[in-house]
Amino acid sequence: MARMRSSDDDDLPVRPTVEDEVAAAGSEVIGGPMGRRALSGTSWWTPVRVVVLAAIVMFALGMAQKVSCYNGAWFQGSGSQYVHACYSDIPHLYGSRGFADGLVPYFDRIPDKDSGGIGYLEYPVLTGLFMEVASWMTPGGGIEHRSQTYWLVNSGMLMVCAAALAYCTVRIHRNRPWDGMLVALAPAFALTATINWDLFAAALASAGLLLWSRHRPLPAGILIGLATAAKFYPLLLLIPLFLLCLRAGRLRDFATAAVGAAGAWLLVNVPVMFTTGGGLHLREGWAKFYTFSQERPVDLGSVWLIISQRTGDPIEDANTYVAVLLALACAGIAALALCAPRRPRLSQLAFLVVAAFVLTNKVYSPQYVLWLVPLAALARPRWRDFLIWQSAEVVYYVAVWMHLAYNSSGDAHRGLPPEGYQLAIAVHVLATLYLVALVVRDVLRPERDLVRKDGSDDPSGGVLDRAPDVFVLGRAREYQAAGAPAAPYPGPAVALALIPISA
């Protein structure tokens, strides 16, 4: 049993080798668990520095895994890069989205011979700027050499994002810095970091959550808005913020963050949104991300692809089904937020909302795991469950490329057939649902929440941390009526054990 933290321990970091049996077993590689008399704060190797360095090393290993593609597989037809499981969008889009020819994203139409008819860059504006800046730093030469260099430049920029993501994860929970090691050592993090530019948005979103945890709602909202300008999913973080601020009566803080997010998003997008030629109207290039997302058919990684392949139905109404299911999932999360016996932690609800989005989406690309990794580490920092989920994601990572190798090998059919790929999709979806179920259980049974075992309330909650409830529904109202306090318990007894669950 883990030792309960006392008031003298408030400024000391939680030692995962004490709380987590997997971490304790893994620590034997470096000499075993840290003893309770070990001195902390006496070495240059602080938790932040160790975790950030580990993240950089893992990122570099992920780059090394792409060596086969860098040395030619990207340029030798599609099959080789799939067989070596080292595909990346970055070198391919350098030529096919006009960066190699000096075209300006969103303003210059890409020739159909290069883009395959897509016309304009299909990424949000801030990601487009990231891609454009990398192209400015790419020197001249042959197209193959420039594509390789473009991937290296982007990888260097994304490595900075990886370090920032690890840093933010460490700092969000002040007394639990070692939880950031879950992010740093996540296998799927290393494998998918340079497939696309999702790590950029994930780093911005994590920085926003860090600022929120430091009671700074306006800067937090600004960073969430910038993250949304790089990828759509960070917008979803406003949902748990609203629900928790509603329960805690801190809607003014939520409004501040929301205004900051809207202002930052508009600041980035408005200069690109409109064209005045022939009257003021939305620029086709700017709108491409949104029209592409709407028109995109059911694709890799989603449960919809399993249904489509098994039934032979292309599911033309997939957008409607996705919207309905996501709305239902968010309604369930709202009920959980307002009815749980104790107000959920922000990272728990954030993980649930983003997980609902990827699980119901038309597409579940391998790099989407980067959205979930930092939230999962904060929502349920337990190595066993995290590694179960990550193992499933590694299985899926290999399966998706083997399936594409199968499709690109013609009659030879070398790779993973549709039935095997469908099984891999089911495995990684079920593993994500497994983690979702554990987080929901922690919300309903707060005594099972590892973060709260030391008497903490919501280290990532900022203004929500230890704030009393002012608006609750259902079971939470019954708990309050039965005498449970409106504010969290100040000591280590975090469970509402005074009132039976069956009450």
Side-chain angles (χ1 to χ4, degrees):
M1 180 181 296
R3 182 179 70 90
M4 195 65 69
R5 287 165 63 83
S6 67
S7 59
D8 294 334
D9 295 328
D10 286 345
D11 295 327
L12 299 178
V14 172
R15 300 194 303 274
T17 53
V18 173
E19 290 190 335
D20 194 302
E21 61 276 10
V22 175
S27 69
E28 295 297 336
V29 177
I30 56 173
M34 180 185 293
R36 66 186 182 90
R37 296 184 182 277
L39 296 178
S40 61
T42 60
S43 170
W44 185 88
W45 292 102
T46 63
V48 171
R49 289 169 177 162
V50 172
V51 171
V52 169
L53 180 61
I56 292 173
V57 169
M58 287 294 288
F59 186 95
L61 291 175
M63 290 181 65
Q65 189 266 335
K66 305 294 189 292
V67 166
S68 295
C69 281
Y70 181 86
N71 287 337
W74 285 328
F75 316 105
Q76 297 171 355
S78 58
S80 181
Q81 61 188 331
Y82 299 144
V83 170
H84 290 93
C86 54
Y87 174 86
S88 173
D89 285 330
I90 295 172
H92 296 293
L93 295 189
Y94 177 66
S96 65
R97 294 302 180 266
F99 295 105
D101 299 321
L103 301 183
V104 179
Y106 316 109
F107 291 87
D108 295 334
R109 184 176 179 85
I110 308 165
D112 289 346
K113 65 180 179 63
D114 295 327
S115 69
I118 199 168
Y120 293 95
L121 183 67
E122 70 276 26
Y123 288 84
V125 170
L126 204 57
T127 295
L129 178 61
F130 189 101
M131 300 162 75
E132 178 73 355
V133 169
S135 73
W136 296 342
M137 293 187 287
T138 301
I143 184 61
E144 183 173 324
H145 173 71
R146 284 189 291 156
S147 297
Q148 291 172 318
T149 305
Y150 185 65
W151 179 79
L152 286 175
V153 171
N154 274 279
S155 296
M157 295 167 66
L158 290 171
M159 182 180 286
V160 175
C161 295
L165 177 65
Y167 174 85
C168 292
T169 307
V170 169
R171 298 293 294 167
I172 286 174
H173 287 177
R174 290 178 183 270
N175 288 333
R176 302 188 59 89
W178 292 111
D179 291 346
M181 196 61 81
L182 290 160
V183 175
L185 299 184
F189 167 82
L191 291 171
T192 63
T194 59
I195 290 179
N196 203 284
W197 293 269
D198 294 66
L199 192 54
F200 177 44
L204 288 172
S206 294
L209 292 176
L210 173 60
L211 287 174
W212 178 271
S213 73
R214 296 297 186 264
H215 301 255
R216 301 179 66 184
L218 181 59
I222 290 172
L223 279 168
I224 290 173
L226 292 176
T228 305
K231 202 77 178 179
F232 174 80
Y233 90 90
L235 180 66
L236 299 171
L237 298 177
L238 294 178
I239 296 175
L241 282 176
F242 169 75
L243 293 171
L244 296 175
C245 286
L246 174 65
R247 177 162 176 166
R250 306 303 296 257
L251 288 177
R252 179 175 294 182
D253 295 291
F254 168 77
T256 300
V259 168
W265 186 89
L266 289 170
L267 182 66
V268 170
N269 282 271
V270 166
V272 185
M273 285 176 69
F274 299 105
T275 179
T276 56
L280 188 67
H281 59 275
L282 286 178
R283 188 182 302 277
E284 182 183 358
W286 173 83
K288 189 62 183 181
F289 166 70
Y290 303 96
T291 58
F292 176 80
S293 300
Q294 182 179 13
E295 296 167 359
R296 187 176 188 178
V298 167
D299 210 337
L300 296 172
S302 70
V303 293
W304 304 107
L305 183 66
I306 298 178
I307 297 171
S308 178
Q309 290 183 345
R310 302 299 293 181
T311 63
D313 181 0
I315 315 182
E316 295 179 355
D317 295 327
N319 286 330
T320 301
Y321 299 145
V322 168
V324 170
L325 284 179
L326 182 59
L328 290 174
C330 288
I333 292 169
L336 184 69
L338 298 176
C339 300
R342 182 170 174 182
R343 190 171 60 247
R345 293 187 289 111
L346 172 59
S347 56
Q348 290 174 319
L349 284 197
F351 171 78
L352 293 178
V353 168
V354 176
F357 179 69
V358 298
L359 289 170
T360 59
N361 203 5
K362 293 185 296 184
V363 186
Y364 194 162
S365 297
Q367 69 271 17
Y368 289 3
V369 71
L370 295 171
W371 308 354
L372 290 172
V373 164
L375 298 176
L378 295 170
R380 184 164 176 80
R382 189 169 182 83
W383 277 98
R384 182 198 63 187
D385 304 319
F386 189 84
L387 290 177
I388 289 173
W389 171 56
Q390 283 291 291
S391 298
E393 291 298 332
V394 171
V395 168
Y396 176 72
Y397 176 86
V398 174
V400 66
W401 308 127
M402 292 303 102
H403 178 61
L404 290 173
Y406 177 90
N407 289 339
S408 63
S409 62
D411 294 335
H413 293 316
R414 290 189 294 267
L416 189 64
E419 295 78 11
Y421 181 56
Q422 292 163 15
L423 178 61
I425 293 175
V427 166
H428 96 123
V429 166
L430 289 174
T432 305
L433 285 172
Y434 166 73
L435 208 56
V436 165
L438 291 176
V439 172
V440 171
R441 185 192 66 178
D442 288 348
V443 171
L444 295 176
R445 300 284 300 274
E447 71 274 13
R448 303 295 295 270
D449 185 354
L450 197 63
V451 173
R452 285 176 159 167
K453 282 185 177 294
D454 66 351
S456 298
D457 177 37
D458 186 0
S460 62
V463 297
L464 301 167
D465 190 27
R466 299 196 178 277
D469 288 337
V470 299
F471 180 77
V472 293
L473 298 173
R475 199 51 166 270
R477 182 175 291 176
E478 295 175 14
Y479 273 88
Q480 286 192 4
Y489 290 109
V494 302
L496 295 178
L498 296 177
I499 307 168
I501 294 296
S502 59

